[in-house]
């Protein structure tokens, strides 16, 4: 994102000060929306670091003041220690402090203080009730835990209700909550817990990936004027699925006037066992709701009646040989292969159980001898854990794995207590190493 900002200025001649001003205006707009577009007489405490994030905060304070709000700016450090665009905005608010906007009838006030010690901060923090507290302390440059005065400020913000006689103020972070490393999903130390975060141009990994993303509150992505072409050039390898992606997929898969069952594909689901009959029922319903034209579910003999009684009437059924404990047996491979000939895709695993050696041999054989794309879930994954290095997907016969975090640990051969903090890296490395598609399930 820093590179995008730089190129916006260098290549397109958009002054960086204008980007900062636009960012402030977009945050003011987001705040106005939260307050029913009534900012007049609102009271805002704007906490600024010495860098560009603080400069954004100073520009925002001026925007709020022009809208009729009372804005009190606290700069942590000395104005003489600031530089560049941030220095410009701090100079502006320092000189405007104590004056009124153009409307002579407004009571809007703008004030500016420097704060260098915990004692000075305590006096500022306890000297008024606020509707909004703006966190403009640190942006994308932070990589280590907060310490000293900044750590104290963040901890005090956690106790805001005790400091305010009226309702708890709205806590708003600019770009990302201070205390987070922009590139990390992990919490690296004390962090602002915002109610609203306005991030600029595009979200950063920490805005998106839990647990760090839980500090955002509501996340608003604000376009501040960087051309989309610059984002496309960044070479980013992390993207969000958004409403537009879902809408495109729905359009591509919707039924047309001349549609019939086979034009929308045949899904074979190999799932279930004697004591786990709900999983195949749910999987069949999911396949039908996703738009499959035909669905066949193959279950062990002892699970068939319970599954058939609860599935949608459109779903076809088949039985597979089973072990003495009611789980699919390796002897069922020939029947599974016969059913696969008619299918466009196979889902393998929900409710199979993975305790029986015969079931594990069956799963391994289905994967190795597949003739369609194959989705492996739940006990299909557990039956193959840790994942055999020789099992590889191909472009013609892709493997799609859908583990939750516990199953992912088992696939990796990790201890159950392994936090697996960098899920993106774990998913990426596993997918690349084994040439497959991995959907690592979680809050995102």
């Amino acid at each position: 994102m820093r590179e995008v900002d730089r190129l916006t200025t260098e290549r397109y001649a958009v002054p960086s000060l204008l980007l900062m001003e636009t960012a402030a205006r977009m945050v003011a707009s987001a705040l106005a929306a939260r307050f029913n577009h009534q900012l007049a007489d609102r009271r805002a405490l704007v906490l600024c670091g010495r860098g560009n994030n603080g400069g954004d905060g100073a520009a925002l304070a001026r925007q709020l003041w022009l809208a009729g709000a009372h804005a009190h700016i606290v700069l942590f450090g000395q104005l003489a220690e600031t530089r560049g665009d941030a220095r410009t905005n701090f100079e502006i608010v320092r000189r405007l402090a104590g004056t009124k906007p153009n409307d002579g009838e407004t009571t809007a006030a703008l004030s500016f203080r420097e704060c260098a010690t915990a004692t000075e901060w305590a006096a500022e923090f306890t000297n008024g009730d606020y509707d909004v507290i703006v966190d403009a302390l640190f942006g994308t440059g932070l990589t280590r835990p907060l310490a000293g005065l900044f750590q104290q400020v963040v901890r005090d913000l956690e106790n805001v209700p005790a400091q305010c006689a009226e309702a708890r103020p709205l806590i708003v972070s600019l770009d990302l909550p201070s205390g987070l490393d922009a590139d990390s999903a992990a919490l690296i130390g004390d962090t602002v817990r915002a109610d609203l975060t306005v991030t600029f141009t595009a979200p950063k990994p920490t805005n998106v990936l839990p647990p760090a993303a839980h500090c955002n509150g509501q996340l608003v992505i604000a376009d501040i004027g960087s051309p989309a072409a610059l984002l496309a050039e960044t070479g980013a390898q992390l993207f969000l699925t958004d409403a537009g992606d879902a809408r495109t997929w729905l359009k591509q898969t919707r039924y047309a006037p001349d549609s019939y069952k086979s034009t929308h594909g045949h899904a074979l689901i190999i799932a279930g066992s004697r004591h786990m009959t709900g999983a195949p029922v749910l999987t069949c319903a999911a396949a039908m709701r996703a738009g499959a034209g035909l669905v066949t579910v193959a279950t062990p003999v002892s699970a068939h009646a319970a599954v058939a009684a609860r599935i949608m009437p459109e779903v076809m059924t088949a039985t597979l040989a089973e072990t003495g404990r009611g789980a699919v047996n390796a002897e069922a491979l020939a029947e599974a292969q016969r059913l696969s000939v008619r299918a466009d895709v196979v889902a393998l695993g929900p409710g199979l159980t993975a305790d029986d050696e015969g079931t594990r041999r069956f799963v391994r054989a289905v994967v190795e001898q597949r003739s369609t794309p194959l989705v492996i879930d739940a006990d299909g994954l557990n039956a193959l854990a840790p994942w055999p290095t020789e099992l590889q997907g191909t472009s013609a016969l892709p493997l799609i794995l859908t583990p939750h975090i516990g199953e992912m640990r088992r696939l990796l051969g990790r201890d159950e207590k392994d936090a697996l903090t960098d899920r993106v890296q774990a998913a990426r490395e596993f997918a690349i190493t084994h040439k497959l598609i991995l959907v690592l399930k979680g809050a995102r």
Side-chain angles (χ1 to χ4, degrees):
M1 285 309 309
R2 287 190 289 272
E3 182 73 357
V4 168
D5 288 344
R6 183 183 68 81
L7 290 176
T8 300
T9 297
E10 290 185 4
R11 191 179 299 177
Y12 295 93
V14 179
S16 55
L17 191 62
L18 180 58
L19 293 176
M20 189 173 284
E21 185 71 10
T22 306
R25 184 160 44 82
M26 296 301 289
V27 178
S29 178
L31 277 174
R34 289 292 291 254
F35 287 106
N36 198 27
H37 299 282
Q38 295 178 357
L39 291 176
D41 293 324
R42 297 287 181 183
R43 296 155 298 173
L45 175 63
V46 184
L47 308 178
C48 299
R50 296 187 295 272
N52 283 341
N53 198 252
D56 292 335
L60 170 62
R62 179 166 46 81
Q63 293 281 349
L64 296 176
W65 172 69
L66 290 171
H70 307 286
H72 178 49
I73 303 147
V74 177
L75 169 62
F76 289 90
Q78 303 296 317
L79 192 148
E81 299 170 332
T82 64
R83 57 190 175 85
D85 296 334
R87 175 72 172 265
T88 299
N89 273 312
F90 289 130
E91 285 282 7
I92 290 171
V93 293
R94 182 184 68 83
R95 296 186 187 197
L96 287 175
T99 66
K100 290 186 177 182
N102 292 333
D103 183 356
E105 297 182 2
T106 185
T107 61
L110 184 68
S111 60
F112 173 81
R113 298 280 181 84
E114 296 172 326
C115 178
T117 68
T119 302
E120 291 173 336
W121 160 241
E124 298 287 353
F125 187 51
T126 57
N127 192 27
D129 294 322
Y130 299 99
D131 299 296
V132 180
I133 296 178
V134 177
D135 159 33
L137 298 172
F138 290 95
T140 58
L142 189 71
T143 58
R144 58 186 180 185
L146 296 177
L149 178 57
F150 289 111
Q151 183 182 50
Q152 185 60 51
V153 170
V154 170
R155 289 180 176 179
D156 286 342
L157 291 183
E158 294 180 0
N159 301 313
V160 162
Q163 301 291 342
C164 300
E166 300 180 10
R168 179 185 180 276
L170 185 77
I171 297 179
V172 182
S173 289
L174 307 191
D175 219 12
L176 62 153
S178 293
L180 294 178
D181 176 345
D183 294 320
S184 176
L187 297 173
I188 61 172
D190 292 279
T191 303
V192 171
R193 306 282 174 162
D195 301 303
L196 170 67
T197 298
V198 182
T199 197
F200 307 130
T201 307
K204 291 73 187 169
T206 200
N207 293 133
V208 173
L209 300 172
H214 298 321
C215 297
N216 288 323
Q218 178 191 2
L219 180 66
V220 172
I221 302 168
D223 182 0
I224 63 172
S226 292
L230 291 180
L231 288 175
E233 290 178 18
T234 60
Q237 294 185 340
L238 183 63
F239 300 91
L240 281 176
T241 301
D242 59 22
D245 297 312
R247 192 174 296 110
T248 298
W249 182 82
L250 289 169
K251 287 179 179 178
Q252 290 173 343
T253 59
R254 66 185 171 189
Y255 277 63
D258 58 351
S259 289
Y260 59 97
K261 290 181 290 187
S262 294
T263 62
H264 287 266
H266 186 173
L268 170 64
I269 294 164
I270 302 174
S273 55
R274 180 182 300 161
H275 300 296
M276 288 194 281
T277 57
V281 174
L282 292 170
T283 310
C284 290
M288 292 298 300
R289 294 291 286 274
L294 293 160
V295 175
T296 297
V297 58
T299 63
V301 175
S302 60
H304 178 265
V307 171
R310 290 183 288 166
I311 55 174
M312 299 169 69
E314 297 92 332
V315 177
M316 299 172 285
T317 65
T319 58
L320 299 172
E322 63 181 30
T323 68
R325 291 187 289 182
V328 66
N329 198 328
E331 297 172 2
L333 179 61
E335 177 65 7
Q337 290 176 328
R338 186 187 70 81
L339 293 168
S340 297
V341 171
R342 298 167 49 212
D344 298 294
V345 63
V346 174
L348 172 68
L352 279 184
T353 75
D355 298 331
D356 195 289
E357 179 59 31
T359 303
R360 290 193 291 273
R361 291 203 312 272
F362 170 82
V363 170
R364 177 70 179 257
V366 168
V367 176
E368 290 178 332
Q369 301 177 40
R370 67 191 183 281
S371 57
T372 69
L374 179 63
V375 182
I376 311 175
D377 184 51
D379 283 329
L381 298 171
N382 293 329
L384 294 166
W387 185 262
T389 55
E390 63 271 19
L391 285 187
Q392 304 270 311
T394 67
S395 56
L397 299 174
L399 293 174
I400 302 96
L401 277 55
T402 60
H404 57 57
I405 193 67
E407 291 161 346
M408 187 66 195
R409 291 191 193 99
R410 290 192 282 277
L411 289 174
L412 291 168
R414 303 274 186 87
D415 186 273
E416 287 293 323
K417 295 180 181 179
D418 190 328
L420 209 65
T421 52
D422 193 341
R423 296 186 181 203
V424 171
Q425 186 65 18
R428 180 181 288 132
E429 288 183 355
F430 191 93
I432 291 172
T433 299
H434 302 292
K435 298 181 175 60
L436 48 77
I437 298 166
L438 185 82
V439 182
L440 179 50
K441 296 179 288 192
R444 277 287 169 188

